[in-house]
Amino acid sequence: MSTTGIDIRPLDTLEAILAGAQLFDDVWIGDRATMPANILRALEHLGNYVVGIYDGDRMIGASAAFFGPPAERTMHSHITGILPGHQGRGIGRRLKAHQREWGLERGIGHITWTFDPLIRRNAHFNLAVLGASATEYLVNQYGEMPDEVNRGDESDRLMIDWALAEPPASTPADDAVRAIVALPDDIEALRRTDPAAAAEWRLRVREQLRGHLASGLRIGGVDRRGYLLV
């Protein structure tokens, strides 16, 4: 599948805002008011990044980001959702390119966001494809989340920093790697089939990454096996 026919445009009417808020609820099933329409409306009205991703006339995704402290010239990409059946089309890469162009036009130097470090495909996309940097490990950042994707797990996240005007960070050479941290094959499926095993993965990865970061090391990338390289 390709991004042919995909269009990204601002949600600048109340009707579009309401559709975007509903889409987030449809993606994160079980969490009503995932991103309330009134918050989206306020963000959009004040000039933040609030867009819909359309396949023809149908909205299949949405994304919202807001500006960080003025002196830091950053934008934080808080939420992006794509309806089931439309993943794997390169939409994520297309969206990040759109965010980058949008940010540069407004004097933004860095875009930040968080992701669950146990989701291997997201680690690969953020660190290997985009070449962004993981800067901070956040323990249970959002507290308990009731949606079907996150339910029953603590919401640990890695903070990502993407420098828009700099070359992508390269995967470290073998002789620069001091440790590797294994990630589960499919943590989302494991949460459903074996919650205890999923919880063990959470604690193991948390302990390892926090220990490495506390010792002054950094997360340098991810390899083809899905190991984080420290």
Side-chain angles (χ1 to χ4, degrees), residues 86-208:
H86 294 277
Q87 292 88 356
R89 298 179 59 181
I91 294 174
R93 188 179 300 199
R94 172 85 173 268
L95 178 69
K96 285 303 178 190
H98 186 272
Q99 287 186 340
R100 180 179 184 274
E101 181 178 356
W102 192 95
L104 288 172
E105 289 175 351
R106 290 159 177 79
I108 297 298
H110 294 254
I111 296 178
T112 63
W113 62 91
T114 64
F115 81 97
D116 185 342
L118 296 186
I119 300 181
R120 185 185 292 186
R121 67 180 183 278
N122 288 351
H124 174 77
F125 178 72
N126 293 327
L127 302 176
V129 175
L130 295 179
S133 300
T135 60
E136 187 179 6
Y137 191 98
L138 305 169
V139 176
N140 201 24
Q141 172 72 352
Y142 305 114
E144 182 179 353
M145 303 178 72
D147 62 273
E148 290 189 359
V149 174
N150 296 287
R151 185 182 296 124
D153 194 4
E154 294 189 284
S155 56
D156 287 20
R157 297 292 184 265
L158 276 179
M159 179 67 79
I160 291 293
D161 185 296
W162 190 29
L164 303 185
E166 298 178 10
S170 58
T171 300
D174 290 345
D175 59 1
V177 176
R178 298 292 176 263
I180 60 173
V181 176
L183 301 179
D185 291 335
D186 187 344
I187 187 61
E188 292 157 306
L190 193 61
R191 287 189 191 115
R192 295 190 296 269
T193 61
D194 193 341
E200 290 176 2
W201 271 106
R202 174 69 68 202
L203 295 177
R204 181 163 57 248
V205 171
R206 176 193 294 174
E207 179 180 357
Q208 292 177 8

